[in-house]
Amino acid sequence: MGRFGLEVADVFRRYGEAFRQRHGASLSTAQRRVMTAIEVCRTAALGGHVEHCDHCDHQRISYNSCRNRNCPKCQSLARAEWLEKRESELLDVPYFHIVFTLPEPVAAIAYQNKEQVYDILFRTASETLQTIAADPKHLEAEIGFFSVLHTWGQTLTSTRICTLWSPVEVCLSTERVGSPADRISSCLSRC
């Protein structure tokens, strides 16, 4: 176990082989490769090098990483850099957080038909928000948003969620009575 507690690699090392035997038919070659890469990441299997302190002669073996883009240990820096870059692109306004979740039976279909099902999910979420926002009973506005697909929850449980963020400030398509904030609040209470 790593010094920060249980890691995905620890789970894969302990249960990965049994999982592959039980679910082998449903795992793609890419998924198998990811599991193996995470299992051997920063172990002797990938080799390493010795770090040596010139002051106290302390030596430490440092094992090489797998560099797999799906490895949580290898990609923490890349993830932090990606988040920082995305944050710099955000408008300096509050955002609504909107979540579309696939029902479990559809999520099971998505497991084997990712591209098709996720395309439908993103398209449907986009069209739904744009339709509601354009409706004169709601905002009568054109909105912008960005979305992210989550396939794993924070507790490492499988999930299929399309999360969208839309700025609170919206571009109104016609002159209306009331401030945008009042209209948004009114819309949210009716939706």
Side-chain angles (χ1 to χ4, degrees):
M1 226 163 56
R3 61 183 180 162
F4 296 112
L6 190 64
E7 296 179 350
V8 174
D10 298 318
V11 174
F12 281 2
R13 286 184 201 114
R14 183 161 184 187
Y15 302 106
E17 189 54 41
F19 181 84
R20 283 187 284 267
Q21 288 177 4
R22 185 172 181 193
H23 301 284
S26 64
L27 291 174
S28 68
T29 302
Q31 289 168 326
R32 289 174 180 272
R33 282 189 192 132
V34 168
M35 284 185 74
T36 300
I38 292 171
E39 286 171 346
V40 299
C41 186
R42 298 189 186 174
T43 67
L46 294 180
H49 55 280
V50 177
E51 296 173 343
H52 180 233
C53 177
D54 294 334
H55 298 291
C56 69
D57 282 338
H58 175 73
Q59 292 185 345
R60 178 176 68 177
I61 297 174
S62 210
Y63 294 116
N64 296 330
S65 64
C66 66
R67 294 186 169 192
N68 187 291
R69 70 182 187 95
N70 299 290
C71 178
K73 194 181 299 184
C74 290
Q75 297 307 317
S76 61
L77 178 60
R79 181 176 52 248
E81 289 171 347
W82 181 88
L83 283 172
E84 185 176 327
K85 190 171 185 179
R86 298 294 77 78
E87 285 176 350
S88 72
E89 297 168 349
L90 293 175
L91 300 173
D92 189 21
V93 298
Y95 281 80
F96 286 118
H97 179 215
I98 307 139
V99 178
F100 289 79
T101 304
L102 286 179
E104 189 55 41
V106 179
I109 295 169
Y111 191 71
Q112 295 295 330
N113 301 282
K114 293 172 182 60
E115 186 175 343
Q116 296 86 353
V117 173
Y118 296 151
D119 180 61
I120 292 168
L121 173 63
F122 276 93
R123 195 167 1 102
T124 303
S126 171
E127 289 172 3
T128 300
L129 288 181
Q130 290 174 345
T131 300
I132 291 171
D135 189 331
K137 293 184 295 184
H138 296 291
L139 294 175
E140 195 171 0
E142 294 178 25
I143 62 169
F145 51 87
F146 64 94
S147 52
V148 175
L149 175 68
H150 299 278
T151 55
W152 291 97
Q154 289 182 340
T155 59
L156 298 180
T157 54
S158 179
T159 185
R160 303 292 182 264
I161 295 173
C162 176
T163 303
L164 298 100
W165 289 269
S166 180
V168 170
E169 303 291 328
V170 294
C171 179
L172 301 177
S173 58
T174 61
E175 288 294 318
R176 300 272 309 253
V177 177
S179 73
D182 292 341
R183 292 179 48 213
I184 290 169
S185 284
S186 173
C187 174
L188 287 176
S189 66
R190 293 190 311 251
C191 292

